[in-house]
Amino acid sequence: MTENGTKSRLKAKLRRLEFKNPILVASGTFGYAKEMSAFVDFNKLGGIIPKTITPLPRTGNDPPRTIETSSGLLNSIGLDNDGIDEFLKKHIEYLLSLGTSIIVNIAGKNIDEYCSLAEKLNQVEGIAGLELNVSCPNVSGGVDFGTNPESTAKVVSKVVNSCDLPIITKLTPNVTSVIPQAQAAADAGTDAVSLVNTFQGIVIDWKKRKPVLGGKFGGLSGPAIKPLALRIVTQVSKAVDVPIIGVGGISTIDDVMEYLVAGASAVQIGTANFYNPGVASNLVDQLEQILDEENCSHYSELVGTLQL
Amino acid sequence: MINPSQCNHDDSMPGANPFAMQEEGTVVEISTMAENTYRLRVKAPGIAGKITPGQFFMIRPSEGYDPLLGRPLALFDVYEEDGRKVGFDFGIVVVGKLTSLMANWAAGTKVELWGPLGNGFPLPECKHLMMIAGGIGQTPFLAVSREALGLCSYGNGERNLKTKPEKMTLCYGARNKKYLAGLDLFKMDGLDVEVATDDGSEGHHGFVTGLLEKSIIKGNKPDVVYCCGPEPMMKAVAKICLDENIPCLLSLETTMACGFGACFSCVTKVKEDDGGWDYRRTCVEGPVFEAEKLIL
């Protein structure tokens, strides 16, 4: 296989989005990439999604902000970030120099905030797309747009119309069914949906009669949630015609393959970046090997091949 | 369109860990230091050759998901084979799932490591350095002492102390004498070791802060204090030092998920120039901070 051939068989296309391969890293688990520079070969990654950006700086929640659970991590960071202006000043130039697609993850308290963030980022040359965080469980005061199809549709269509950038909508699993929100996002013109954000949970110190996390409730991630997230990817993939980016508990190449087979056209590596910081770029190499073993000319031949 | 390379780029936000690496290590040996307290030695030449006193590394089992996250641990000492740094020692107190596992690791166990991480203690350019430790917080001070006394060099050899401190004191407090870990290792020429125990079973009867207060009263006020231990103890030390105008560095132990700045878990309140404060990441901006800059 020539180098070009190798590259083309990993190339991912999700409507207007194009990645050199389907292995991305999830927002909130990769800092602003600089933190990972000692461990990861950025150039190998399909894409990087830095930590969520809001219009204004946010202090974030009081510590403790994370607590480990059985094979999982419960977090209530609370979108600690310096706001869009500092992001453009401190991080965007570095991010865009890394030789991979940069998807900027944004969150607002209302539709206007999402749109003004999108308009600002639309002015920056080189950004590959936006991921709309309509599903962070840790932000009080804001509307959780991702919990019903009407508000999901509204925010997605407004953002799609306010910029030229491809749009990914990251949906919450904390609903009866994710299918209506995924359908609404698809109808509103999203290029892909990220499935899923964290599952809301709580860890309790019963002797103190108190939650352990400063933010009280948190979002659960890590290997513990993989079957739950995979179930949602499987169901949405069967029901809705929209490219899916699978995320939730991926740390090995087998995990990646399970998501692809379930119907994800790309994946995001999240919590695994914390406990195995070099994992994401290693998975890209391993995906190549699997394609050899499976005799695939393009990884998409495996996408959605699950027999239910 | 905005061309990002023409943005007014500001690189003031810390985050890069230029010397860090991920490395599979091997447990070499484990020994009991005190009640519930163990010293582990791992072979990991990459990290061993770079880590400096007060820096930390993350460690977890190479296999499995429970426990999931790495744990931050401070460098105790580096060891050599054939004149080359090949591994390092660290101390643990058994408190949870991973530390219970670690206490039972056999020689040969494979472990995942990443480091060196964080900003350690600077070289003590002063006349009298006092190191104040509580709990397992004495571990960073073995390497600090050896380096300051010229007995050992750490890192890539770029750290050179111009003048050795004339006096160095380690004040070490524990609940009782059963928990005093590795005291014999601190027996080196040029280092005075003073002990405090809560129950008076050894040394000064009371908190370790009593040793600092005594020293000040006797006219042996240190020029610089390095401190590592439980938060209430560090808070008390910081207060005495601020009142006495003694520069004081604290090594914080905050809950971390990643250790390298990606997760934003390990935040602590750091004073801002405008009189306010901001949550800063202990792993990349610390773990060693100037006490006067913290809101404890």
Side-chain angles (χ1 to χ4, degrees):
Chain A
M1 187 69 71
T2 64
E3 201 197 342
N4 273 340
T6 307
K7 275 182 181 161
S8 67
R9 70 178 179 163
L10 287 184
K11 205 165 176 192
K13 192 158 166 35
L14 292 73
R15 300 216 165 130
R16 290 181 293 165
L17 289 157
E18 285 185 34
F19 304 116
K20 66 171 90 172
N21 65 62
I23 312 272
L24 287 75
V25 288
S27 183
T29 67
F30 212 72
Y32 300 101
K34 181 158 114 179
E35 294 86 351
M36 309 299 295
S37 59
F39 310 109
V40 179
D41 184 352
F42 296 130
N43 185 43
K44 273 193 181 163
L45 301 178
I48 293 173
I49 312 179
K51 203 168 157 42
T52 299
I53 305 302
T54 54
L56 294 173
R58 286 178 56 92
T59 308
N61 291 333
D62 288 337
R65 289 176 166 187
T66 51
I67 178 82
E68 183 171 328
T69 63
S70 298
S71 303
L73 173 68
L74 192 74
N75 89 78
S76 70
I77 308 294
L79 301 186
D80 178 341
N81 82 104
D82 292 337
I84 180 76
D85 294 338
E86 290 294 296
F87 174 75
L88 293 177
K89 209 157 93 183
K90 292 183 176 172
H91 302 296
I92 195 69
E93 182 189 1
Y94 176 74
L95 285 163
L96 292 174
S97 73
L98 301 178
T100 185
S101 300
I102 301 299
I103 303 287
V104 181
N105 181 298
I106 58 172
K109 283 187 180 153
N110 50 52
I111 290 179
D112 286 346
E113 286 196 358
Y114 279 97
C115 291
S116 76
L117 286 166
E119 283 160 15
K120 264 190 190 174
L121 290 161
N122 196 38
Q123 296 300 310
V124 181
E125 208 174 302
I127 292 175
L130 302 180
E131 184 177 63
L132 310 184
N133 182 355
V134 291
S135 49
C136 181
N138 293 325
V139 189
S140 54
V143 179
D144 206 349
F145 287 93
T147 50
N148 77 69
E150 292 76 28
S151 55
T152 303
K154 215 178 261 176
V155 68
V156 172
S157 67
K158 290 273 187 189
V159 173
V160 165
N161 289 326
S162 67
C163 69
D164 308 315
L165 294 165
I167 303 298
I168 301 167
T169 310
K170 187 168 185 177
L171 294 174
T172 176
N174 301 309
V175 289
T176 311
S177 170
V178 179
I179 292 170
Q181 287 72 246
Q183 185 66 60
D187 294 344
T190 197
D191 292 271
V193 289
S194 293
L195 303 178
V196 289
N197 208 322
T198 55
F199 289 79
Q200 207 175 24
I202 187 169
V203 171
I204 290 170
D205 180 338
W206 75 266
K207 285 182 181 163
K208 291 184 184 159
R209 272 57 161 189
K210 281 192 166 165
V212 170
L213 293 179
K216 299 185 176 76
F217 295 95
L220 186 66
S221 63
I225 70 162
K226 194 185 76 175
L228 306 174
L230 260 179
R231 184 263 297 171
I232 293 168
V233 167
T234 304
Q235 290 174 331
V236 171
S237 150
K238 298 291 174 203
V240 185
D241 181 20
V242 65
I244 294 170
I245 304 176
V247 50
I250 299 175
S251 61
T252 67
I253 192 62
D254 287 325
D255 298 334
V256 171
M257 300 316 293
E258 288 168 27
Y259 271 91
L260 295 182
V261 166
S265 302
V267 295
Q268 293 174 10
I269 315 304
T271 305
N273 295 313
F274 294 158
Y275 61 85
N276 183 5
V279 65
S281 43
N282 296 340
L283 288 174
V284 177
D285 295 335
Q286 291 167 18
L287 181 59
E288 297 246 29
Q289 289 166 19
I290 292 255
L291 294 189
D292 284 340
E293 288 163 24
E294 295 287 320
N295 262 324
C296 282
S297 59
H298 192 268
Y299 86 89
S300 60
E301 291 164 22
L302 296 165
V303 171
T305 52
L306 177 70
Q307 296 165 17
L308 270 184
Chain B
M1 285 303 263
I2 300 168
N3 181 340
S5 65
Q6 283 156 13
C7 289
N8 182 15
H9 184 65
D10 169 359
D11 200 24
S12 62
M13 189 172 177
N17 298 285
F19 299 109
M21 61 184 294
Q22 189 174 359
E23 184 175 28
E24 187 173 64
T26 310
V27 176
V28 176
E29 61 180 27
I30 173 163
S31 55
T32 305
M33 281 207 293
E35 184 89 0
N36 236 6
T37 310
Y38 301 88
R39 175 186 185 177
L40 276 84
R41 169 165 289 188
V42 293
K43 189 164 190 172
I47 296 170
K50 295 174 182 167
I51 194 162
T52 60
Q55 282 195 301
F56 68 97
F57 58 90
M58 299 289 285
I59 185 167
R60 74 179 299 274
S62 283
E63 300 292 329
Y65 297 132
D66 194 14
L68 185 68
L69 303 170
R71 294 293 184 279
L73 289 164
L75 173 70
F76 194 20
D77 204 9
V78 166
Y79 77 95
E80 297 188 346
E81 275 173 13
D82 305 321
R84 208 170 65 90
K85 295 176 185 126
V86 290
F88 50 88
D89 296 354
F90 54 95
I92 59 160
V93 178
V94 175
V95 286
K97 211 185 266 177
L98 182 52
T99 45
S100 305
L101 258 185
M102 289 167 90
N104 290 299
W105 276 346
T109 303
K110 298 288 181 197
V111 294
E112 203 62 36
L113 299 159
W114 53 102
L117 299 165
N119 306 300
F121 287 105
L123 288 163
E125 302 285 355
C126 64
K127 281 188 181 156
H128 180 193
L129 171 69
M130 182 178 278
M131 296 165 281
I132 304 179
I136 192 73
Q138 87 285 16
T139 50
F141 296 131
L142 185 71
V144 169
S145 305
R146 288 196 173 156
E147 185 181 49
L149 291 166
L151 304 173
C152 195
S153 75
Y154 297 91
N156 56 10
E158 282 174 11
R159 285 164 68 93
N160 288 303
L161 187 62
K162 286 184 207 94
T163 21
K164 266 198 268 183
E166 286 167 16
K167 184 172 168 61
M168 284 175 41
T169 316
L170 171 71
C171 300
Y172 176 22
R175 263 184 286 168
N176 66 48
K177 68 174 181 185
K178 281 193 302 186
Y179 291 94
L180 290 165
L183 264 187
D184 50 325
L185 297 166
F186 284 94
K187 282 180 188 146
M188 54 185 101
D189 287 339
L191 179 65
D192 297 328
V193 179
E194 294 181 31
V195 169
T197 49
D198 296 357
D199 65 354
S201 54
E202 186 145 340
H204 169 73
H205 187 170
F207 293 144
V208 71
T209 42
L211 297 172
L212 170 61
E213 283 161 339
K214 263 192 199 171
S215 182
I216 293 167
I217 292 164
K218 279 193 208 158
N220 284 330
K221 187 167 142 175
D223 301 307
V224 175
V225 165
Y226 289 179
C227 182
C228 182
E231 210 178 293
M233 171 270 211
M234 288 205 285
K235 202 172 166 173
V237 169
K239 185 173 183 317
I240 297 169
C241 289
L242 289 177
D243 289 348
E244 293 288 332
N245 220 3
I246 305 167
C248 174
L249 296 178
L250 305 180
S251 179
L252 300 190
E253 295 179 19
T254 50
T255 310
M256 292 180 186
C258 68
F260 44 80
C263 72
F264 286 70
S265 299
C266 61
V267 293
T268 191
K269 285 179 183 174
V270 176
K271 290 175 190 164
E272 298 268 85
D273 294 339
D274 64 6
W277 60 268
D278 189 24
Y279 277 133
R280 300 295 184 85
R281 294 166 291 174
T282 303
C283 65
V284 288
E285 300 207 33
V288 175
F289 288 96
E290 290 173 42
E292 60 184 341
K293 292 200 174 147
L294 298 176
I295 299 177
L296 293 167

